[in-house]
Amino acid sequence: MLLEQTLKKNIQKIDENIQTACELSNRDVESVQLICVSKSVDNDSTKQVVDQGITHLAENRMEKLLEKKEFFKDNPTINWHFIGNLQRRKVKLIINEIDYFHALDNVKLASEIDKRAEKKIKCFIQVNVSGEESKQGVTPDALEEFIDSLSVFENIVIVGLMTMAPYDANSEELHHIFSELNRLKKVSEDKNLAYAPCHELSMGMSRDYCVAISEGATFVRVGSSFFDEEEKEVGNS
Ligand SMILES: *Cc1c(COP(=O)(O)O)cnc(C)c1O
């Protein structure tokens, strides 16, 4: 199938799934922002996504994000999300080029971001809720102290929390992980910190974004479901 047709069909399906998940949990569909994770496709394919009306794009490699941003330099409507591991020495090259950074998890990185930022940088703190060793992120136990330690950085705004569920998590585990991130978010939100309003939840990928929405996700990061040719079942459970 032509990519254009695949995208049309897939985006329609994703929109329907988001709508259903919102209805089932009594949420306004406007409260969920869909991000297309375009890391697996080239500039031209990404342009086809944008041509379908998608305005939020995410990349996990600095070089690729910069290359795409250059490619789209005449399109100011795109919101750029960086969802990958960011090495400190690369911060200065990218931090002023993005709208959101989803993977803040240590003070040294925060310090470098603060130093290089030319504007306030919207960051999500990545939390390793599942405790998987391979995953980045602060542990839930360390979160409060970590947020406290960010108060000195004038150029960092903590807009919310982000997590990734294990690849093989079952429905019950997914609900647990996402509801736990929501609980942690509320604890931080309730502190009313000017530098950490913490209203947002970045959680949910192709296989689990419906569960994430049912547990309060406000940003879902969907990649393969945009581009896969075959149907994939996304349980609304
Ligand atoms: C790749 C990636 C996604 C999207 O994953 P899919 O399973 O392709 O939807 C979401 N979040 C992060 C952090 C990623 O690296």
Side-chain angles (χ1 to χ4, degrees):
M1 219 191 304
L2 280 172
L3 177 61
E4 187 188 347
Q5 289 165 2
T6 303
L7 282 174
K8 265 208 172 89
K9 193 170 119 252
N10 287 348
I11 292 171
Q12 197 178 355
K13 188 77 197 151
I14 294 166
D15 284 343
E16 279 170 24
N17 285 335
I18 291 176
Q19 195 156 346
T20 306
C22 285
E23 278 164 16
L24 289 173
S25 48
N26 275 316
R27 293 189 54 193
D28 183 348
V29 72
E30 299 290 322
S31 69
V32 179
Q33 179 60 57
L34 173 62
I35 304 171
C36 174
V37 180
S38 53
K39 66 188 182 193
S40 66
V41 300
D42 63 11
N43 291 342
D44 290 318
S45 302
T46 307
K47 180 168 185 310
Q48 296 208 40
V49 173
V50 171
D51 287 346
Q52 297 290 327
I54 299 295
T55 55
H56 286 252
L57 297 178
E59 293 287 332
N60 68 346
R61 308 261 337 237
M62 183 193 82
E63 294 76 11
K64 202 151 176 197
L65 188 142
L66 293 177
E67 186 196 311
K68 284 193 183 171
K69 217 187 157 200
E70 174 63 21
F71 180 81
F72 284 104
K73 64 176 183 298
D74 297 327
N75 186 338
T77 63
I78 300 173
N79 294 275
W80 295 95
H81 297 258
F82 192 73
I83 59 174
N85 215 342
L86 181 56
Q87 289 165 290
R88 254 186 297 156
R89 64 187 168 83
K90 293 187 174 175
V91 165
K92 62 175 180 295
L93 301 172
I94 195 167
I95 206 65
N96 295 300
E97 302 297 326
I98 60 177
D99 297 290
Y100 293 91
F101 175 50
H102 289 245
L104 184 60
D105 68 355
N106 68 81
V107 178
K108 282 183 174 168
L109 180 59
S111 172
E112 181 67 12
I113 291 173
D114 185 57
K115 185 166 134 198
R116 304 294 183 178
E118 292 160 5
K119 58 178 181 183
K120 283 197 190 290
I121 308 295
K122 294 181 200 146
C123 299
F124 287 87
I125 295 174
Q126 183 167 358
V127 185
N128 184 356
V129 180
S130 67
E132 271 185 300
E133 269 178 40
S134 61
K135 289 271 194 302
Q136 308 281 326
V138 300
T139 63
D141 285 346
L143 181 63
E144 265 195 77
E145 205 180 315
F146 181 55
I147 293 182
D148 287 346
S149 71
L150 300 176
S151 65
V152 294
F153 301 123
E154 285 178 10
N155 292 323
I156 290 183
V157 184
I158 302 304
V159 294
L161 304 182
M162 177 275 210
T163 201
M164 284 171 85
Y167 191 78
D168 56 0
N170 63 31
S171 169
E172 191 185 338
E173 289 161 342
L174 290 173
H175 278 283
H176 173 74
I177 288 164
F178 294 145
S179 65
E180 182 60 11
L181 195 72
N182 196 344
R183 188 188 67 78
L184 293 165
K185 182 209 76 159
K186 284 177 186 147
V187 172
S188 302
E189 199 175 26
D190 285 348
K191 293 185 177 173
N192 288 313
L193 301 169
Y195 70 94
C198 210
H199 300 313
E200 312 293 345
L201 281 171
S202 168
M203 59 189 194
M205 308 174 28
S206 288
R207 59 184 178 276
D208 54 26
Y209 65 91
C210 291
V211 181
I213 290 170
S214 78
E215 297 294 352
T218 60
F219 285 86
V220 290
R221 310 177 309 268
V222 180
S224 50
S225 288
F226 275 85
F227 306 103
D228 284 354
E229 296 238 357
E230 73 274 23
E231 292 275 336
K232 206 189 292 176
E233 266 320 304
V234 194
N236 244 314
S237 54

